[in-house]
Amino acid sequence: AKFREGLAKTRDTFVGKVEDLFSRRKKIDEEFYEELEEILIGADVGVNTVMKLIDDLRAEVRKRKIEDPAELRPVLSEKLVELLRGSEESRGLRMADSGLTVILFVGVNGVGKTTTIGKMAHRLKSEGKRVMLAAGDTFRAGAIEQLEVWGQRVGVDVIKQQSGADPAAVIYDALQAAKQRGADVLLCDTAGRLQNKVNLMEELNKIYRVIRREVPDGPHETLLVLDATTGQNALQQAKLFGDKSGVTGLVLTKLDGTAKGGIVVAIRQELQLPVKFVGLGEKMDDLEEFDSEQFVHALFA
Ligand code: GDP
C-alpha cells in the first residue's frame, strides 16, 4: 500500500501512457516499439536500459509468437522486475554479527540524507534496536540541528560537536559513546559538498580509517543517498562518488515527488549497486525497503 501511494505520480503519468499504448495499438510493429521507447525514455528509464528492454521484448515476441500488444503487457512487467532485481538483490541492511553495526550515509546536500537517517533510526528503533546518530556533517549550516530534531522526534541520542569540527573526530566520539552505551546501530551523517571532490573523498577516507580502527568489520554499509526527482543527475552524482567511496547500496529519496519513477530502473542497470531503500514522503514512516516485484506490482497492478 505504501508503494502504491508513494508511486501515484509515476503511475498516473508513465504507467498511464504505457496502458494507453498497449490498449490502443492493435499490432506490435515498429511504430509500437518506437512509441514505447519514447514513453520509457520520458520516464527516465535511461537510453541504454530502454534499448536493452526493447531488445528483450522483441526477442520474447519472436520466441512466444506474440501478436497482440495486450499479451506483451505482462512480459514488460516481468522484464522490468528482472532488470530491477539484477544479479545480486540484497535486501535490508547488513548488520554486524555481534556488537555495534555502523552505517555511513553519503550524498550531495539536499538529497534527503538527514531525513533518511531520521527515518532509518525510527525504523530500526521500531525493530527493537538501540540506535544512535552521529552528526558527521559539520559543514552544512543547520545540519547538526536538523539531525538533533530528528533525534528528538524518534527518541534516540545524537552525538555532535560544534559546526566546523573535524567530522572524523565526531565519528570517533560517536563510536566511543555508542560502545559505552551499548548501542546496536550507529547511523553516521557525513558532509555532502561536492565543490571539492578531492577533499570530500579524503574526509570520507579518514572517517573509514577511524571506523575500521574502532569497529574492525565496519562500516557495515555505506549508503549513497540519491534524489529521484533529479533524474539523470542522480546517476551523475553516483558516478561522481564512484568506486573509491566504498558505497555498498543506494537509497533513492523523493520517489513520491516524481512522475519519472523509471529512474530506479536506470540506476539499477547502470550502477550495479542494490537499491536498498526508497523514500516515499517526508514523514518518519515514509522509508520502504526496496523490493523489485512489489515496486513493479505497485506500478502496474
Ligand atoms: P540533506 O541535505 O541531504 O540532509 O537533505 P534533507 O534531509 O535536509 O532533505 C531535503 C528536503 O527533502 C527536506 O525538505 C526533506 O523533507 C525532503 N525529503 C527528504 N526525503 C524525502 C522523500 O522521500 N520525499 C519527499 N517528498 N521529500 C523528502
Side-chain angles (χ1 to χ4, degrees):
K2 261 285 163 51
F3 269 118
R4 275 192 73 77
E5 259 170 57
L7 292 171
K9 282 193 185 163
T10 295
R11 202 170 46 246
D12 292 350
T13 49
F14 163 55
V15 179
K17 284 183 196 161
V18 171
E19 300 296 359
D20 171 64
L21 171 70
F22 279 87
S23 61
R24 181 163 40 80
R25 293 256 172 206
K26 298 296 166 231
K27 257 186 18 212
I28 302 174
D29 51 15
E30 279 315 301
E31 272 177 58
F32 171 86
Y33 285 123
E34 268 169 37
E35 205 175 320
L36 182 58
E37 204 174 290
E38 252 172 60
I39 295 171
L40 291 167
I41 289 173
D44 259 346
V45 173
V47 178
N48 295 340
T49 311
V50 171
M51 293 308 161
K52 176 166 170 26
L53 197 56
I54 300 276
D55 283 348
D56 286 357
L57 287 179
R58 283 181 197 272
E60 287 298 319
V61 165
R62 276 194 301 271
K63 201 172 86 191
R64 303 194 203 177
K65 301 200 166 52
I66 298 172
E67 284 175 11
D68 184 353
E71 272 180 78
L72 192 58
R73 238 310 262 104
V75 182
L76 176 63
S77 299
E78 258 171 59
K79 292 288 161 198
L80 280 172
V81 172
E82 272 174 34
L83 281 178
L84 282 168
R85 186 179 293 142
S87 49
E88 18 59 272
E89 182 165 57
S90 64
R91 302 273 300 280
L93 294 171
R94 184 168 85 88
M95 303 294 268
D97 293 332
S98 66
L100 181 65
T101 297
V102 182
I103 299 172
L104 211 53
F105 290 80
V106 299
V108 176
N109 284 340
V111 293
K113 212 167 357 115
T114 312
T115 308
T116 301
I117 292 172
K119 291 173 179 174
M120 188 70 83
H122 171 64
R123 192 185 174 88
L124 292 166
K125 200 185 168 206
S126 332
E127 290 170 6
K129 299 202 168 64
R130 278 161 300 176
V131 183
M132 282 173 62
L133 310 181
D137 183 355
T138 58
F139 189 79
R140 176 167 75 86
I144 299 170
E145 292 74 14
Q146 203 187 333
L147 199 69
E148 282 190 298
V149 169
W150 271 105
Q152 275 159 17
R153 199 177 289 164
V154 177
V156 299
D157 289 347
V158 179
I159 303 302
K160 57 157 191 178
Q161 289 183 12
Q162 74 284 13
S163 179
D166 176 5
V170 178
I171 302 296
Y172 177 82
D173 274 0
L175 288 163
Q176 301 309 317
K179 285 199 249 180
Q180 267 161 25
R181 299 180 201 176
D184 299 309
V185 189
L186 179 68
L187 305 178
C188 306
D189 198 5
T190 64
R193 62 185 192 283
L194 263 194
Q195 292 86 330
N196 190 335
K197 193 193 162 196
V198 176
N199 274 356
L200 184 64
M201 289 305 150
E202 272 171 14
E203 188 173 299
L204 271 179
N205 278 328
K206 199 169 162 197
I207 290 172
Y208 274 115
R209 285 199 296 275
V210 167
I211 295 174
R212 290 239 173 76
R213 208 164 55 218
E214 302 302 313
V215 182
D217 59 337
H220 301 84
E221 295 273 9
T222 299
L223 299 179
L224 173 62
V225 183
L226 298 172
D227 177 346
T229 64
T230 62
Q232 299 295 314
N233 244 337
L235 262 174
Q236 290 313 112
Q237 280 172 22
K239 286 174 184 162
L240 263 173
F241 271 83
D243 310 329
K244 287 197 198 75
S245 59
V247 172
T248 55
L250 305 171
V251 179
L252 207 53
T253 62
K254 311 186 198 179
L255 261 183
D256 55 306
T258 178
K260 299 182 169 191
I263 190 65
V264 185
V265 185
I267 281 177
R268 186 67 193 89
Q269 257 317 93
E270 297 206 13
L271 296 179
Q272 303 309 319
L273 279 169
V275 177
K276 297 234 169 186
F277 291 88
V278 291
L280 297 170
E282 296 185 275
K283 293 193 299 295
M284 226 188 291
D285 284 317
D286 296 334
L287 184 74
E288 282 292 298
E289 208 171 289
F290 184 72
D291 177 290
S292 322
E293 237 159 276
Q294 272 180 29
F295 179 79
V296 174
H297 193 77
L299 286 180
F300 289 107

